[in-house]
Structure formats: structure tokens, C-alpha cells
Amino acid sequence: MTTIKLPEGKKVYFASDNHLGAPTMDKSFPREKKFVAWLEQIKYDAGAIFLLGDLFDFWFEYKTVVPKGFTRTFGKLAELSDAGIPIFYFVGNHDLWMNGYFEEELNIPVFHRPQQYLINGVSFFIGHGDGLGPHDKGYKRMKKVFTNPVAKWFFRWLHPDLGVRLAQYFSVKNKLISGDEDAKFLGEDKEWLVQYAKRKLETRHYDHFIFGHRHLPLEINLSQTSKYTNTGDWIHYYTYAEFDGQQLQLKKFE
């Protein structure tokens, strides 16, 4: 478990599911500018920033090429990282093909699995949320294909102009960019990330479980001392979580 001690007056911020580039670069540009404005706002009191995946609607790192665009986002992340603000990135189901670019260019560690943190003595279990819990079986099968080294090797041999365009087409087509088919509260007993968190509590206590992926801002008490929070998205809700060293709150950026 990684320990973080917040300096006096500093906070930890959590955000996810921007899906920049969807449905087109032009249409996502206003959302990107809003996200960059949020980063500018929080840089003055941020003790750490957790980005919980799907920042991009599609991302694939070739050996010498990365997808075009997102200059303002990268510039702001580089500025914050260079200023000494720790930033942690958790890959989502749309940007799981990361392989060193964030670490080398931005000094941002990238995680492909949930991680545990102790922040000011408060325990957190943090991840994107895809493929966890008793359901999401179709995606679990799909993820095995996408992360298969042979499949990645074949895709890398496509020219980037073709590969990126093809991947972006299917990414938008499958409706995951908006979460319209999935972003409905199912009831606590049917929310699979809630069920996953409750199962984790059977073996170890965590004060907070924080995920993205569902595109819904949610706060659910798992017990008297444990809470599940979903950060929502930056497509419809523009929500994020803020931890001041004692309390975690879900907020909206206006």
C-alpha cells in the first residue's frame, strides 16, 4: 500500500472518463478546454491528482508514434507534473494500450490494475473499474483479446493513419463513449462495482473505493465506515472527487 502524506492545505483530486476525441476531435474540443480549465483551477491546492482512465476515447502507442491531438491536455499535465504535483494514471478500457509515453514524457506513473493507497491515514482502493465484479463478462472476454501480445503485434503493423482511424470508428460505434446504454443506476444490489467492493471488504477494510468507468457520479455507503464513489464523466456531468485529508466529496465543475 502506497502512503501519501498531504501537506497542510493540500487536497487530492480524482477524475475519469473524458473520452477526448469522441465523437470527433472538433466536437470534443470544448470538453478538453473545460478539463484543462479544471486542472488550472486545482493546481494551486492539489497535493496529488488521480486520473482514473479513459482520458482518451482511443489511445495506442506505437514505438515512435502516438495519436495526434490533445496538445492542451498534455501541456497542462506536463506543467503540473513539472511543478512537483504527483499525478497517477489508471488505464481504462479505451486507453489500455499505454506503454511508456506518460512515464517518459510526463513523469506520470501508469497502472493497469487497481492500487491501494493510505492518504493521511485514510485507506483507498482505486482503479478505473472495467472488468471488475461478477458481471461485465462480454468486456472481460474482449479485454483478453485486446491485451493479447499477438493481437497488439498485428495491430502495430497497421499504418497509424489506418490503425487509429479504424480503432476510432469502432470505439465510437460501440456506444461506450457516452455510456448512454450503460449509464443508468441499476440499484445498489445490481451495481457490479458495488458488489466487487463489498467482496473486497470481506477480506480487508478500505475506507474508500473510487472508480470511474460507469459514467455516473455515485456515492454509496458500503458500511458505516466504508464508501463507494464513482467519479462520473466529463461528457455529461463534469464531476470529480475531492479529498481534503479527512473527507471525500463528489463535486461538479461549472
Side-chain angles (χ1 to χ4, degrees):
M1 181 178 291
T2 301
T3 299
I4 297 176
K5 178 63 177 177
L6 286 176
E8 185 70 26
K10 295 295 184 178
K11 300 176 181 179
V12 180
Y13 292 94
F14 307 83
S16 71
D17 295 280
N18 304 73
H19 290 270
L20 298 180
T24 65
M25 294 294 289
D26 287 344
K27 290 183 178 179
S28 79
F29 184 60
R31 296 192 290 107
E32 180 179 11
K33 290 176 66 177
K34 192 167 185 175
F35 178 64
V36 170
W38 175 71
L39 291 174
E40 172 65 21
Q41 175 180 290
I42 69 172
K43 75 177 184 180
Y44 300 101
D45 66 359
I49 300 172
F50 287 81
L51 300 177
L52 306 185
D54 287 354
L55 177 60
F56 314 106
D57 195 61
F58 170 74
W59 182 265
F60 187 93
E61 294 178 18
Y62 297 84
K63 286 186 178 181
T64 58
V65 176
V66 295
K68 180 181 178 180
F70 320 116
T71 303
R72 289 162 183 79
T73 297
F74 285 127
K76 183 56 66 176
L77 291 176
E79 175 191 335
L80 301 187
S81 179
D82 289 347
I85 300 173
I87 304 174
F88 307 91
Y89 195 91
F90 290 75
V91 302
N93 47 306
H94 280 247
D95 52 15
L96 49 82
W97 299 279
M98 289 192 169
N99 190 32
Y101 185 78
F102 267 46
E103 293 95 331
E104 295 165 9
E105 294 294 325
L106 302 172
N107 195 31
I108 295 176
V110 172
F111 302 98
H112 292 260
R113 294 181 178 84
Q115 303 291 314
Q116 299 108 47
Y117 293 84
L118 192 66
I119 307 176
N120 278 27
V122 179
S123 55
F124 288 80
F125 189 93
I126 302 170
H128 179 63
D130 60 310
L132 303 180
H135 300 295
D136 220 5
K137 293 181 179 179
Y139 170 69
K140 289 176 182 178
R141 290 191 293 268
M142 182 176 66
K143 186 173 182 179
K144 288 182 179 180
V145 175
F146 286 168
T147 57
N148 184 281
V150 176
K152 289 193 291 184
W153 184 85
F154 275 111
F155 185 83
R156 186 170 279 113
W157 277 99
L158 290 175
H159 189 283
D161 285 348
L162 175 60
V164 172
R165 182 177 296 180
L166 186 66
Q168 287 174 333
Y169 171 80
F170 284 111
S171 181
V172 171
K173 276 290 185 181
N174 67 20
K175 301 294 186 181
L176 286 175
I177 58 112
S178 64
D180 289 342
E181 295 184 342
D182 193 40
K184 299 175 183 177
F185 183 60
L186 304 176
E188 185 175 333
D189 59 329
K190 293 182 180 179
E191 284 287 334
W192 37 269
L193 281 173
V194 173
Q195 300 308 311
Y196 174 81
K198 287 182 176 180
R199 289 187 182 183
K200 296 294 290 186
L201 285 175
E202 294 175 0
T203 57
R204 183 169 184 171
H205 174 78
Y206 296 95
D207 297 308
H208 293 283
F209 290 83
I210 304 184
F211 298 109
H213 187 55
R214 286 288 286 116
H215 289 245
L216 280 176
L218 295 171
E219 294 179 287
I220 296 174
N221 290 323
L222 303 172
S223 70
Q224 290 184 337
T225 57
S226 185
K227 183 179 180 180
Y228 160 79
T229 299
N230 197 286
T231 51
D233 69 20
W234 284 71
I235 299 172
H236 300 299
Y237 297 104
Y238 303 97
T239 46
Y240 62 96
E242 175 188 293
F243 179 64
D244 64 4
Q246 295 182 332
Q247 294 185 335
L248 181 74
Q249 293 181 298
L250 201 58
K251 295 187 173 183
K252 181 180 178 68
F253 183 66
E254 301 292 348

